[in-house]
Each structure stands twice: as C-alpha cells, then as structure tokens.
Amino acid sequence: MASSAPSKTDTQSETHIVENQSPVLEDYNVFESDPVLFDALLREGGAWGADRARTLGGRVGSAEVLQCARDANRHTPELCSHDRAGNRIDWVDYHPAWHHLMALAVEHGVHALPWRYPQPGAHVVKAALAYLMNQGENGVCCPMAMSFAAVPALRAEPVLSAEWEPRLLSLCYDARFIPASEKRGALIGMAMTEKQGGSDVRANTTQAVRAPEDGEGVYRLTGHKWFCSAPMSDAFLTLAQTDGGLTCFLVPRVLPDGTPNRFLLQRLKDKLGNRSNASAEVEYSDTFAWRVGGEGDGVRTIIPMVHHTRLDAAISAAAVMRQAVVQALHHAAHRTAFGARLADQPLMQNVLADLALESEAAATMAMRLARGFDDATADPAQEPFVRLATAVTKFWICKRAPVVAAEAMECLGGNGYVEDSPMPRLYREAPVNGIWEGSGNVICLDILRTLAREPQALAAMVDELRAAKGGNAHLDTYVAALEKDLNSAALDAGQARTLVERLALSWQATLLVQHAPGLVADAFCASRLDGVGGRTLGTLPGGADSMAITDRAWRG
Ligand SMILES: Cc1cc2nc3c(=O)[nH]c(=O)nc-3n(C[C@H](O)[C@H](O)[C@H](O)COP(=O)(O)OP(=O)(O)OC[C@H]3O[C@@H](n4cnc5c(N)ncnc54)[C@H](O)[C@@H]3O)c2cc1C
C-alpha cells in the first residue's frame, strides 16, 4: 500500500518558488488612477460629479467587488421555469454576487443619474459612472443601460411615465418578484428582437389586440421574442403589430393585482460573454401590455431608448478597452523578461503606448458625446448632430474594443489567457457592444440616412472637425480630404464603413489635438491619419514618446 505521507519530490517545496509574477491588481481607485477620465469629466461639465466618481471608483477597484465580478460570471444565472409541482414560475436564479453588483450600480445612479439630477453635466457624470462600473463588471451594466434609456421612451405616454418614472429613478435595488407599485425601485428591459429579424424590427410578427375590458390602453400580446436580456426586470418595452402597424408597449412582469403576467421564459442563451447577465427567449401568450405612444408609432416611440443605449454601448466598449489596457500596463510594470522590466523594453513600450492612445481616444470621444446629450437637453437644435455623433462613436469604439482586448491580453503572455486574470472575460465581452443596439452595418446605414435627411447634422460635425484646424498638419490634410469626399461618399452604401471610419478618426484626432498633451495628439495623428502606423498595435512611428504616453495613461 502506498504511504500517505508525501515525499519531498511530491511536495516540490524547494522548487515551487513564486517569483516574477505581477501582483493582483485590486484595492485601487479606478477613477483616481485615470487622469484622462478625470480631465474629461471636468472639461465636459461634470466637475460636480467628481466625488461620486471617486466613491464608485474606490468600490469598483476593491477586492470585494472584483471577487463579486468573478463569482457572478462563474456562477451564471439559471432558469427555473417550473416549481417542483410543475407550475410555471418563470424565475431566474442568480448568484448573490450578481445582486450585490446590481445594488452597487443602482445605489450610485448608474441607471438614472441624469433623470434624477437634470442639470448641466448630468449625462457626463453618468457616463463617467458607467465607465467605472463597466470596468468592474459588464453584465450588470446591461440592465442599467436599458433602464436609463427606457425613461425618455416612456415619456411618450405621460400617464405611464408619471407612474413608472419615480420607481426607475430610485436608488434602491429591489429584486423581489412583486408588483412594481409595491417595490422600492424598479428596472426596465426591452424586447424587440425576434427570430426572423433583429435589426429589421418592422419584420416583427408579435400580435397585439386591444383589451379595453382590462383598462384604458391595455392590449394582449402573442408572439415570441428571441433575445430579452435581464428578464427579471419589472417591465419590458416591447414592439408588436397592431392594426395600425408596429407599436410600442410596456409589458409588466407582475400584474397590478400581484399575479404573474404571462411572460414565459423559454430558455436562457448560452452566450460567449456577458455571462453574469441572463438573456432569455420569451413567449408572449395573451400577455398583458400597456400601449406606449400611438398605434403604428412603434419605431418612433422606441428610438429614444435605442439612441440612449447606443451611448452606453460606446461607453461600455471604451471601458473594456480601458480595463484591458490598465491590466497590460500593470503587468508590464511588474514582470521582467530577458533581464529587464517589460515596461522598460522599447518594443513593449510601443505596444503599450499604442494601446493607451486607442483607449484615450475612445474615452475622450465617449465623454465628448455624453456632453452632446447634455447640450441637446438644453438646446434641441443640437439633436441631429448628437444622433450622428452617437452612431459614429458607437460604431467605431465598439469595433476597436476587441482589437485592443486581444493585444492587451497578449501583453500578459500566457497568464492573460487563463481565467485567473480578468483578460479572458474582457476579451469575451469585447464584441457584444458591436452587435446589440445596432450592429456595425446597420449603424453605418443609419448614418447615411441621417446625412441625407438632416444636413444640419453633418454641418455641425464638420464645424466640430474644424475646431482644431492648424493644430496638426496630418489632421488638417486628413479633414480637408474627408470634406472633399463627403457628399459623394454619403451616397454610396457599399462604402459606408469607410466614410464612418474616416469621420470617427477625424473626430478623435480633433479632440485629442484640442485637449490632450501634444505628444499624445501628435502620436495619434502620425500613426492613424498618415498611413505611417501599421495594421497591428505597437507600430507607432519612431518619433513617438512611448514612455511619456504610458506614464500619462495610468497612475498605478
Ligand atoms: C447578448 C445579447 C443580448 C441581447 N439582448 C437583447 C434585448 O434585451 N432585447 C432585444 O430586443 N434584443 C437583444 N439582443 C438582440 C440584438 O439587439 C440583435 O442581435 C441585433 O439587433 C442584431 O439583430 P439580429 O441578431 O437579428 O441580426 P440581423 O439583423 O440578421 O443582422 C445580421 C448581420 O447583418 C447585418 N445587416 C443587417 N441589415 C443589413 C443591411 N441592410 N445591409 C448590410 N448589412 C446588414 C447586421 O449589421 C449584422 O451584422 C441581444 C443580443 C445579444 C447578442
């Protein structure tokens, strides 16, 4: 019989020496370590939110919250469709870590701040909070974004809005499965996508019939929704067909009398990322719903929701980039190879600086866009520009996030590929913002439509792009060439991505020339606008001051 006492060889006590591993990055303030975000918050009118951002930044970087993020993604939600006796319960069971993170986000107003505190800079402060929260855990930010975005859409129906808005603005997270009227706070999701079409919502086949016996504006819905995230929300903005055409509805999860609505969860999606957050397929079967807006006005009614979730998608993608870059910078500062710290080796410096530039450009653009939402609140004439800017920003940042996440992962070597680090989660998360709230092509075609219908949007964008004229020769040449091509390019659907990419790069460069240190703006323009930079990250041209760029990026 083998002895149970381990031999010296078994324990390997003398060889198992841990050295040259970077420490876990935790118990740091995600806001205070980010000078780019701090500057943008102040510049774009959100200085009054700095203390809020500091508080949330401390929580998000804490070991406790980062552990919750790991737990919520490892112990993913489970569908409990029936109880043990066979009765439908349509319940989703989440790990306690999910509820902890939801409470954290709601307490800090990530879902509602601009509506609770409607003042200049409110969207900028909210964007900063969402940027921070997304660096802790992305899944919970999906219900935050949808609840935030539901408010302007619901306002199409003043009676419903007066009833629901106070619940949506509450800073209490209340996960109980009871009527919303009895809860301390409520959240709203959306159910637009069907099997036969997500981008093309006019292909929706879910039917809505009037049910006046159930109350004013009440309908009954029958059909199937192919994607419905955060299915334990209290209500869902839903599109369905009436005699008058595609119409928007609010579907409560629990009816006012306390009985469950017929909101039948068929299964949960087994997703690549965003795994802490449940996304369900839902059957509507004679399901109770209130109409929001007029019959046939469904798209017009729900567009404000889509517009606001696009802002959040851009912020989320920028946050994924930021957190990936922070992890790369942290690792490179602690790891040595071939006798020197990675962060001190010229080629790694080039990679890290290129990553930092991409992240800074994304954050700067997202925060400028958030100010656009504040500007448009004060002056509706700004709305066409903000619509265009939102689509450009959403397309571009979401396209860059997976590229940045993959390169940052490589900076950690093999450790970056292992689930002990946050990199696999960030990498899996990176593509989703490009898919939901308008996939890339759909966004680019939207942009062409905006250019055709709202020439003032383009005129305002051109003004914005001229704001840094004379600040960088590469930028001047790039913008002049773009302006020359704009009219013809705006007519060519097949070239829409090329046009949007040029608009996005011009805008990012313009913002950096105006607001970032010269060495950042110069390196960005030289590498992105002049054809000198390569197709991979880490190909900044020789003159770039990589050390100074990375020093600026991270106060670790
Ligand atoms: C994790 C996750 C959660 C989601 N949660 C929700 C939710 O809560 N509620 C909800 O309603 N939906 C949700 N969705 C669905 C999402 O919004 C849709 O998947 C998305 O809108 C795309 O629709 P689709 O899947 O039907 O693809 P399609 O519309 O079939 O598009 C497929 C591809 O074709 C492209 N395309 C479409 N039209 C054109 C065109 N005219 N020219 C060129 N290219 C085109 C698109 O850009 C896309 O790349 C979720 C999706 C995911 C992945």
Side-chain angles (χ1 to χ4, degrees), residues 142 146 189-200 225-230 271 273-274 277 279 432 435-443 445 497:
C142 166
M146 290 194 294
M190 67 171 149
M192 296 195 287
T193 306
E194 297 187 3
K195 291 190 282 299
Q196 70 283 357
S199 314
D200 184 7
K225 293 293 174 180
W226 186 232
F227 275 95
C228 178
S229 292
K271 297 178 291 185
N274 206 260
N277 177 30
S279 298
V432 74
I435 294 174
W436 61 23
E437 315 315 332
S439 306
N441 288 354
V442 170
I443 293 269
L445 295 172
R497 280 186 182 228

Side-chain angles (χ1 to χ4, degrees), residues 147-170:
S147 294
F148 161 67
V151 170
L154 256 187
R155 287 179 179 168
E157 203 60 52
V159 174
L160 275 181
S161 174
E163 186 188 339
W164 280 82
E165 218 176 280
R167 297 170 192 153
L168 296 170
L169 269 53
S170 162

